[in-house]
Amino acid sequence: MADEALSPAIDFSGTGNGEDSAPAVGLISQYVKDLSFENPNAPGIYQNQQPPQIDVQFNIGTLQVADEVHEVSLKVEVRAEIAGTVAFIVDLTYAGLFGFRNVPAEQIQPYLLTEGPRLIFPFMRRVVADTIRDGGFPPLLLEPIDFNQLFMQQSQATQANVTDSGHA
């Protein structure tokens, strides 16, 4: 139900409300693509009362899977250590399929790197928290990410690199 509220389904058959030329984007589905949880030092690690040092690595990927369908994947790796001993490792790739109709090509990639991740992030965040909790540790709630800001920073860095390489 939450998916429908965030992004209504799109009829890609062309038999919709007669506005076949109107741009449309929709979240078709979302899913766990890959999930791994490691607890290599159980049960001994549960005896340690120190808080773990947690390292979170994050990546966004996109893939065109059909003419009007693209996949956005969020990959997160969480590694927790207590006094140099691994407490747990979570490796998750969570993905969503997005459908596009009559959207200019130059607008698709920005959407896939900003709005797509924003829509599926809360669900990925829940999978991470539940997995860690189910592994016997307090759940980790990942901080929200401003995907628009990340995209702008990446665009500016790319533009700066292009400008710098043009002066060489």
Side-chain angles (χ1 to χ4, degrees):
M1 285 295 172
D3 294 344
E4 293 172 17
L6 289 174
S7 186
I10 295 178
D11 176 12
F12 283 99
S13 66
T15 60
N17 59 7
E19 296 181 23
D20 289 339
S21 63
V25 178
L27 178 59
I28 298 169
S29 67
Q30 54 185 322
Y31 45 90
V32 172
K33 193 167 183 174
D34 183 35
L35 174 60
S36 171
F37 178 82
E38 296 177 36
N39 189 355
N41 293 299
I45 198 71
Y46 297 117
Q47 304 305 313
N48 197 323
Q49 298 300 313
Q50 295 178 2
Q53 295 287 340
I54 297 177
D55 179 47
V56 178
Q57 300 295 319
F58 194 81
N59 197 8
I60 303 170
T62 64
L63 175 68
Q64 185 169 359
V65 295
D67 284 342
E68 297 181 320
V69 180
H70 294 259
E71 180 186 66
V72 173
S73 60
L74 302 178
K75 180 170 176 42
V76 63
E77 183 180 312
V78 180
R79 182 182 182 92
E81 294 185 4
I82 300 173
T85 301
V86 174
F88 64 83
I89 300 171
V90 176
D91 191 359
L92 169 65
T93 302
Y94 192 85
L97 286 179
F98 292 85
F100 292 83
R101 183 178 55 210
N102 300 322
V103 175
E106 67 274 3
Q107 293 179 4
I108 292 175
Q109 194 67 9
Y111 183 93
L112 293 172
L113 294 174
T114 59
E115 197 62 17
R118 185 190 69 80
L119 290 172
I120 65 175
F121 178 80
F123 302 94
M124 183 215 67
R125 180 182 185 210
R126 181 192 52 79
V127 171
V128 169
D130 289 352
T131 300
I132 292 170
R133 184 201 63 224
D134 292 348
F137 298 93
L140 172 68
L141 294 178
L142 297 173
E143 292 292 323
I145 297 172
D146 185 345
F147 294 101
N148 287 321
Q149 182 65 31
L150 286 176
F151 180 74
M152 295 301 290
Q153 289 173 349
Q154 181 183 13
S155 296
Q156 290 170 354
T158 301
Q159 200 61 296
N161 286 342
V162 168
T163 303
D164 289 346
S165 65
H167 294 301

